[in-house]
Amino acid sequence: MTVNAPLCFTGKKILAPMVRVGTLPMRLLALDYGADIVYCEELIDIKMLQCKRVINEVLETVDFVAPNERVVFRTCERERHHVVFQMGSADAERALAVAKLVETDVAGIDINMGCPKEYSTKGGMGAALLSDPDKIESILTTLVKGICKPVTCKIRILPSVEDTVNLVKRIEKTGIAAIAVHGRKKEERPQHPVHCDVIKAISEAVSIPVIANGGSHDFIKEYTDIETFQKATAASSVMIARAAMWNPSIFRKEGLFPLKEVMQDYIKYAVRYDNHYTNTKYCLCQMLREQLETTQGKKLHAAQSTQEICEVFEMADFYEETTAVFEAKKASLETETQDEDDQMEDPDVIKMAVRFDKREYPPQITPKMYLLEWCRKEKHPQPVYETVQRPLDKLFCSVVTVAEQKYRSTLWDKSKKLAEQAAAIVCLRTLGVPEGKLCEGENHLINKRKREDQESLNNRDHGEDLAEPSHKKANFIEETSDMNVPKVPR
């Protein structure tokens, strides 16, 4: 496939992928200070494949949201042509599926082949891939052929220079755009010297750009040191991790900003993009380092919300102003959405403002069951539910069709099931049919179930087949659809 407007990996200053650090606020701050390319933290393929892509109209971001509603990856237009998505994967097809999921929102895709941590290696990912060149080749070749964006990988060096160079040459043949090399072996730690000679040997052995990484401890203390490290490794570009984590203004040609100013700039992005306070707190603690025992450091450590973090850094007014803007924007969008809903309304739909509260019903008895029972009794086709999800707040609304008449609740619910139950209630109340509430007295469905349970027990006593007849089970099974819930058109 043809690569469209690919990233250039020559002569670049790059923010390295760092777990818990490389979230959106840090990436944007690094770009502001002069970074050319920013890598997100490693995100695991299986976790990403569970996510849905959601447009966040309030924050003006693209969010990849897990089933538990946690934002796994958040990005925005500001970084779209600069951010490389790094994933952890040990499977070519899964890697490709994730790459296709995010490719329109990022500038490149990277496979982590250097992380020595157990959470990465135990699944055959990270540094574990270094001992399986066939799998490396499979993953990278599949990605290069399968997506339009440039593909890179990040490795550590092997025990010998010869083995490392041979592996990199094999990787080069997959067609990747660049390779990042952390100049340490997988068992070595930051305090060990970085092996500039090995990175240099790699740089001289291949034609693709080599990105040198691992110089924070020995080399990079200020901007001019970046060039020194690049020359020592003969690399095309330099990737910076811990030096940028401590002070992301390391990317400034004009020199480092005072840490207080850097932390305030970081907090502004954290508030602006609704970063989770625990992640914000972690990154600020990495910047404070030896100052964690100061009064300010102790207050930061005790903070339990973004608002409290802002108070520690005398930014309470900024927090209140920004959140007020977001609340106003959210209210405006909700009004627009409601107006759109009203315009979409079918005048023939019968509506009521109702919600399903399971506490008002006997266990395992629902309005949908009652409606299904009524349709069978009256010889109508079974109810048909059509459910939509609103993008702004992710709430659901369902319309049920019974005997060619449509019914719905005007209230939106937090789940598809609740929305369908509410629609069933509207239909039952309109028809004047009992819906199964506890306050309605004797419940014929419960009595019916008791009778059939007793029949089952009697059959068991007589040694008959214990399986309940399927036609009896059907009386108590709510017909539900496995179809994906469509979004409300915008």
Side-chain angles (χ1 to χ4, degrees):
M1 300 179 73
T2 303
V3 176
N4 299 322
L7 280 177
C8 172
F9 291 93
T10 301
K12 303 300 180 183
K13 314 296 187 293
I14 302 171
L15 177 70
M18 290 179 279
V19 173
R20 297 185 69 185
V21 176
T23 48
L24 184 57
M26 180 62 80
R27 301 197 303 267
L28 294 177
L29 194 57
L31 289 173
D32 285 352
Y33 290 148
D36 301 297
I37 299 171
V38 291
Y39 279 58
C40 75
E41 62 177 334
E42 177 195 27
L43 295 169
I44 306 303
D45 56 3
I46 294 175
K47 184 179 294 185
M48 282 300 300
L49 289 175
Q50 296 172 352
C51 292
K52 289 183 179 179
R53 182 182 183 273
V54 177
I55 303 296
N56 188 323
E57 294 180 296
V58 175
L59 299 180
E60 298 177 351
T61 59
V62 176
D63 298 344
F64 291 84
V65 184
N68 63 359
E69 300 300 316
R70 188 174 72 86
V71 176
V72 175
F73 177 61
R74 171 168 285 162
T75 186
C76 66
E77 183 62 28
R78 166 75 175 90
E79 68 169 3
R80 188 159 69 95
H81 299 295
H82 304 277
V83 64
V84 175
F85 181 91
Q86 187 188 67
M87 78 173 92
S89 181
D91 181 88
E93 294 307 316
R94 282 204 305 267
L96 180 60
V98 173
K100 287 184 174 181
L101 177 67
V102 303
E103 115 174 88
T104 58
D105 302 302
V106 300
I109 301 292
D110 182 84
I111 296 294
N112 179 0
M113 299 182 178
C115 181
K117 302 291 186 182
E118 184 183 358
Y119 67 80
S120 186
T121 59
K122 67 181 180 182
M125 301 176 290
L129 285 170
L130 296 176
S131 58
D132 194 344
D134 290 340
K135 185 171 288 186
I136 289 177
E137 185 176 335
S138 172
I139 293 171
L140 295 178
T141 301
T142 299
L143 287 174
V144 170
K145 291 180 178 179
I147 64 172
C148 294
K149 296 295 172 70
V151 177
T152 64
C153 68
K154 184 171 182 286
I155 68 168
R156 282 188 173 233
I157 62 175
L158 299 177
S160 77
V161 177
E162 182 181 4
D163 288 343
T164 307
V165 170
N166 288 337
L167 175 63
V168 173
K169 284 183 176 180
R170 186 169 178 181
I171 289 173
E172 181 183 27
K173 291 178 181 177
T174 64
I176 62 170
I179 183 168
V181 180
H182 184 150
R184 292 185 178 86
K185 301 166 187 175
K186 64 182 180 180
E187 65 273 9
E188 292 180 328
R189 292 298 173 261
Q191 63 269 24
H192 292 104
V194 60
H195 299 276
C196 292
D197 58 325
V198 180
I199 301 178
K200 185 175 182 180
I202 294 170
S203 300
E204 293 171 347
V206 297
S207 58
I208 59 172
V210 173
I211 305 166
N213 175 235
S216 292
H217 187 274
D218 300 327
F219 286 88
I220 303 171
K221 302 295 181 286
E222 56 186 34
Y223 182 84
T224 54
D225 296 333
I226 299 174
E227 185 177 355
T228 303
F229 183 53
Q230 184 174 355
K231 287 181 178 178
T233 57
S236 301
S237 297
V238 172
M239 177 179 277
I240 307 170
R242 287 176 307 126
M245 175 179 72
W246 296 327
N247 189 330
S249 67
I250 190 74
F251 292 105
R252 287 188 79 242
K253 292 180 182 179
E254 302 80 5
L256 293 166
F257 271 139
L259 191 58
K260 179 180 179 181
E261 186 174 340
V262 172
M263 295 178 83
Q264 288 179 333
D265 286 347
Y266 176 84
I267 291 170
K268 287 178 181 177
Y269 273 132
V271 175
R272 164 68 182 84
Y273 289 102
D274 194 26
N275 201 49
H276 196 280
Y277 87 91
T278 56
N279 181 252
T280 300
K281 181 173 164 180
Y282 176 83
C283 291
L284 292 171
C285 285
Q286 305 313 305
M287 296 181 201
L288 273 179
R289 299 173 72 196
E290 65 272 6
Q291 298 179 45
L292 280 172
E293 293 305 314
T294 63
T295 300
Q296 186 180 51
K298 290 178 179 179
K299 287 182 178 178
L300 172 62
H301 196 268
Q304 294 298 308
S305 67
T306 298
Q307 183 174 5
E308 290 181 11
I309 291 173
C310 287
E311 290 169 356
V312 171
F313 291 88
E314 301 176 348
M315 297 177 67
D317 289 345
F318 174 81
Y319 175 82
E320 291 177 6
E321 291 167 5
T322 305
T323 52
V325 169
F326 287 154
E327 287 303 317
K329 188 172 183 180
K330 184 175 181 180
S332 175
L333 287 168
E334 286 175 346
T335 301
E336 291 177 13
T337 301
Q338 187 59 54
D339 290 343
E340 291 175 5
D341 292 344
D342 293 342
Q343 292 172 10
M344 290 171 55
E345 283 295 342
D346 184 339
D348 295 328
V349 177
I350 295 176
K351 299 179 287 292
M352 291 184 193
V354 299
R355 277 205 171 95
F356 170 69
D357 185 344
K358 65 179 181 180
R359 294 171 297 183
E360 297 177 352
Y361 297 82
Q364 300 179 327
I365 298 298
T366 66
K368 284 182 68 176
M369 293 173 66
Y370 260 75
L371 183 56
L372 178 61
E373 183 80 3
W374 182 83
C375 287
R376 286 173 172 161
K377 181 180 178 182
E378 298 297 322
K379 302 192 183 318
H380 291 308
Q382 69 182 41
V384 176
Y385 295 86
E386 298 175 84
T387 307
V388 294
Q389 185 182 24
R390 203 159 54 185
L392 176 62
D393 51 19
K394 303 173 190 170
L395 296 179
F396 295 83
C397 180
S398 185
V399 176
V400 62
T401 302
V402 174
E404 299 184 356
Q405 176 62 58
K406 296 182 177 181
Y407 307 84
R408 60 156 285 196
S409 172
T410 57
L411 304 179
W412 291 66
D413 275 295
K414 62 183 180 181
S415 77
K416 176 177 178 284
K417 290 182 179 180
L418 290 175
E420 291 179 350
Q421 296 293 358
I425 291 173
V426 174
C427 178
L428 291 165
R429 291 184 184 178
T430 302
L431 297 170
V433 176
E435 59 193 76
K437 295 178 75 171
L438 290 167
C439 62
E440 291 176 353
E442 187 174 8
N443 190 305
H444 77 277
L445 275 184
I446 289 181
N447 292 335
K448 189 173 183 179
R449 171 166 284 179
K450 287 179 178 177
R451 288 196 304 271
E452 296 194 355
D453 286 346
Q454 187 59 50
E455 289 177 11
S456 178
L457 287 173
N458 291 339
N459 290 339
R460 183 181 305 172
D461 291 341
H462 288 86
E464 295 180 10
D465 189 352
L466 298 181
E468 185 178 359
S470 59
H471 72 277
K472 290 188 177 182
K473 285 185 178 180
N475 289 328
F476 304 102
I477 297 175
E478 298 177 13
E479 273 72 2
T480 58
S481 172
D482 292 330
M483 295 171 60
N484 291 328
V485 179
K487 298 290 192 297
V488 175
R490 297 307 311 271

